[in-house]
Amino acid sequence: MEGEQAMSRRIYLDHNASTPLHPEVLAEMLPFFSEVFGNPSSVHAFGRAAREAVDVARERIARFLAVRPDEIVFTSGGTESDNFGLKGLARARGRGHLITSRIEHHAILRTGEALEAQGFEVTYLPVDESGRVDPDDVKRALRPETIAISVMHANSEVGTVQPVAEIGAIAREHKVPFHVDAVQTFGKVPVDVDATGIDLLSFSGHKIYGPKGVAGLYVRRGTKMVAIQHGGEHERRRRAGTENVPGIVGFGKAVEVRAREMQAEAGRLSALRDRLWEGIRARVPEVRLNGHRVHRLPGTANIVFRQVESESIVLGLDLKGIAVSAGSACTSGNVEPSYVLVAMGVPIDWAMGAVRFSLGRSTTAEDIDHVIESIEPIVRRLREASPAWRATAAPAATGTV
Amino acid sequence: MARDGGARGHGDRVRYSPVLVDHFLHPRNAGLMREPDGVGEDEYEGCGDLARFYLRVRARRAAEVRFQTYGCGPTIAAASAASELVGGRAIEDLVNLKAEEIERVLEGLPEDRKHAADVVAGALRAAALDYLRRRDADV
């Protein structure tokens, strides 16, 4: 049966969601479950060994970012880093105004809403049709009482990279702390916190072939922050809780590996991503590539298929062993075309057909070709059954962008 | 959505029966009908799923059934399954078609996909009613 045949070849194109451990990362982590298992806060040898491992990981990450080790705070995930970044800044100042964008991850948007409920004011800046924030909008939104700017480095759905250097310059000029959610860029494209004027940076392990449940927040020395998780004196009293030693060790190793592989990998993924888009565009009529053409993540392609509901494409591909992610969610009671695409002004009958392909280490050219071959009949079958679809005589002549 | 903006529905394959998957991969009776005797449509407000059914009626029975649909996988499967299910059925019976019957053919639907059977049943009922209204108007 078709489904069973497909199972023998599985293609994972959802790397923006999560990634498998790099083999070196797994090997690095293993001793820290049953052999080096002490609590890093313990004074005895078991504890000291664990403490040392955490320090090594912290140093690896600090070196990668060209910052000081004591400027790295380990957290449980990108979500916590985002929460700590905004709430930590806000609560240290007590009141004021924050500027962010409409296409941030929910960890930023919901935190913004929570801060609004506590009396802070938040401006959510719009984006253009490529998904970019205009630095002039940031400047215009500034007020005397602005206490933070938070703009993601790259959007996970469409891959568009923001003009963070320009925004950072504005933040610096006005002496407003600048937080960047770099969960989708850290370890994929270069990040220079000094040149860019970044004061706080969220970054995560499981997007870069490291383990889940561990992430970091870079906090520039001198940035006033209040802890949001209280208890022991861990992370220099910025974030209480016994360290996730195996996770942190894995995280440090993942970063070390990325330092070696990042540049070549970016080139390879860009080429494969372009191959995927060109192949789909050549074979499937009425498709569109979302996001900026130049300023974008190397491995992400968000493609809309007109007049087809993305969930049905995702299911069709899943049944062929291909994993992608839908830009819309169809569940009882809830219509959710992606809020990112809506903010970019993508019309609804396109937005509902958005599929995100995010490539990674394991992706080969054969995989890409197989996906292109597989998706064409799926979309054709769905369109043939669709009430609104009018088949075009010449597939190549349709409105692709 | 999740941290990545990703989809729900991973593990959907576990929730869908082989019958449903088969109808999704190989839908029966999809497409337009020329000069149908009855046409009906239903839409699920929540997520825009839409189903439209065309009927050819002979001797007060559904001689031919075709459908068009826009929506998630289960909705397409439900429409296909229903199009086979109601072939040959009396129109008066179609007016009372229940979603549960379609769900049974599919061997069950997960909680958050039950609307697929609702939309399809609604569209078929509407098609049956449309035929009856037209027939009464002709008299």
Side-chain angles (χ1 to χ4, degrees):
Chain A
M1 183 194 136
E2 196 171 327
E4 281 158 23
Q5 276 171 346
M7 276 308 289
S8 58
R9 180 195 194 140
R10 303 216 301 171
I11 298 175
Y12 184 77
L13 294 184
D14 201 18
H15 290 83
N16 285 8
S18 198
T19 57
L21 287 191
H22 191 289
E24 286 178 47
V25 169
L26 180 60
E28 190 89 348
M29 288 173 70
L30 282 175
F32 293 89
F33 289 103
S34 307
E35 294 162 43
V36 187
F37 57 85
N39 185 322
S41 300
S42 296
V43 300
H44 47 63
F46 293 82
R48 289 199 307 273
R51 162 68 53 208
E52 225 179 277
V54 169
D55 288 344
V56 165
R58 197 187 305 271
E59 271 149 34
R60 281 177 172 160
I61 294 171
R63 202 163 36 236
F64 183 70
L65 279 174
V67 301
R68 303 164 51 106
D70 63 12
E71 291 176 311
I72 303 288
V73 178
F74 286 120
T75 66
S76 63
T79 296
E80 186 190 333
S81 295
D82 282 348
N83 269 259
F84 179 34
L86 291 196
K87 289 174 181 168
L89 273 178
R91 290 181 189 168
R93 288 149 187 79
R95 56 213 295 267
H97 167 249
L98 295 89
I99 300 171
T100 186
S101 86
R102 280 193 204 146
I103 65 165
E104 301 296 311
H105 189 273
H106 280 134
I108 294 290
L109 296 178
R110 298 282 170 273
T111 299
E113 286 163 22
L115 289 172
E116 283 180 292
Q118 290 171 1
F120 292 88
E121 288 187 39
V122 182
T123 299
Y124 302 90
L125 293 174
V127 295
D128 65 20
E129 68 271 357
S130 75
R132 296 252 288 182
V133 171
D134 184 347
D136 284 337
D137 283 348
V138 176
K139 206 182 290 184
R140 276 188 286 267
L142 281 169
R143 306 176 193 173
E145 66 270 25
T146 302
I147 55 170
I149 300 169
S150 177
V151 175
M152 65 195 334
H153 193 183
N155 179 270
S156 71
E157 280 195 50
V158 300
T160 298
V161 174
Q162 299 298 336
V164 285
E166 286 106 301
I167 297 172
I170 293 168
R172 199 162 254 176
E173 190 192 320
H174 291 84
K175 299 196 185 2
V176 176
F178 182 34
H179 167 260
V180 170
D181 177 341
V183 165
Q184 291 293 343
T185 52
F186 178 78
K188 296 182 189 177
V189 300
V191 178
D192 185 335
V193 294
D194 284 338
T196 314
I198 294 172
D199 301 299
L200 296 157
L201 188 86
S202 299
F203 54 98
S204 164
H206 75 105
K207 312 292 191 192
I208 53 166
Y209 313 96
K212 295 175 182 60
V214 63
L217 182 72
Y218 157 72
V219 181
R220 182 180 293 279
R221 212 154 191 245
T223 310
K224 279 202 189 55
M225 299 279 285
V226 167
I228 62 169
Q229 177 153 311
H230 299 85
E233 314 223 314
H234 310 84
E235 302 297 307
R236 298 172 179 269
R237 276 184 255 111
R238 291 175 296 190
R239 195 269 187 188
T242 299
E243 298 89 340
N244 174 1
V245 179
I248 288 170
V249 165
F251 194 13
K253 189 60 170 175
V255 169
E256 188 190 78
V257 171
R258 282 275 99 192
R260 287 186 335 238
E261 298 186 354
M262 185 171 83
Q263 194 173 353
E265 190 60 2
R268 194 185 75 90
L269 289 183
S270 299
L272 288 177
R273 175 206 59 205
D274 292 342
R275 186 189 183 108
L276 175 69
W277 163 237
E278 295 301 331
I280 288 177
R281 177 172 41 177
R283 299 177 68 135
V284 183
E286 303 238 17
V287 294
R288 216 173 90 166
L289 179 67
N290 286 316
H292 205 280
R293 285 298 177 277
V294 174
H295 302 291
R296 54 181 174 154
L297 289 174
T300 302
N302 187 301
I303 300 174
V304 287
F305 298 82
R306 192 160 168 271
Q307 289 297 350
V308 187
E309 214 263 354
S310 54
E311 193 269 11
S312 53
I313 301 177
V314 171
L315 178 60
L317 288 172
D318 183 32
L319 290 166
K320 293 192 175 184
I322 299 165
V324 296
S325 141
S328 66
C330 169
T331 56
S332 297
N334 242 326
V335 58
E336 288 177 33
S338 148
Y339 66 93
V340 172
L341 296 182
V342 168
M344 287 165 60
V346 176
I348 193 110
D349 66 335
W350 285 94
M352 292 298 289
V355 177
R356 179 189 71 189
F357 304 82
S358 45
L359 287 52
R361 275 185 86 238
S362 61
T363 311
T364 64
E366 290 74 31
D367 290 341
I368 295 299
D369 292 343
H370 181 71
V371 170
I372 295 166
E373 299 237 350
S374 303
I375 200 167
E376 192 270 326
I378 292 171
V379 174
R380 186 168 17 95
R381 190 182 72 235
L382 292 168
R383 279 176 171 164
E384 277 165 4
S386 167
W389 177 250
R390 299 278 172 267
T392 52
T398 53
T400 56
V401 174
Chain B
M1 290 182 198
R3 187 352 88 164
D4 57 312
R8 300 190 181 103
H10 293 295
D12 267 355
R13 197 181 335 195
V14 174
R15 309 196 287 154
Y16 297 149
S17 72
V19 172
L20 190 157
V21 168
D22 185 44
H23 276 285
F24 171 72
L25 289 174
H26 312 285
R28 291 69 148 150
N29 303 310
L32 276 171
M33 180 186 286
R34 289 206 201 292
E35 296 174 5
D37 297 317
V39 182
E41 212 172 272
D42 198 9
E43 192 172 338
Y44 179 67
E45 293 281 318
C47 67
D49 275 14
L50 183 143
R52 183 187 296 159
F53 274 86
Y54 304 94
L55 298 173
R56 176 99 57 230
V57 180
R58 295 284 174 270
R60 312 260 291 258
R61 293 185 174 276
E64 213 184 305
V65 183
R66 290 182 76 70
F67 76 90
Q68 290 176 311
T69 179
Y70 170 87
C72 55
T75 303
I76 293 157
S80 169
S83 74
E84 280 190 329
L85 174 71
V86 304
R89 193 174 290 199
I91 295 298
E92 284 79 4
D93 288 341
L94 269 190
V95 171
N96 296 317
L97 181 67
K98 298 271 182 288
E100 289 77 15
E101 219 189 313
I102 299 169
E103 203 186 324
R104 256 201 307 281
V105 173
L106 294 173
E107 297 178 8
L109 281 167
E111 254 329 295
D112 63 348
R113 293 284 191 266
K114 295 234 188 273
H115 65 268
D118 291 332
V119 162
V120 166
L124 271 166
R125 289 196 298 265
L129 277 172
D130 181 53
Y131 163 75
L132 292 172
R133 259 187 243 112
R134 292 190 201 191
R135 186 200 59 184
D136 291 346
D138 287 343
V139 164

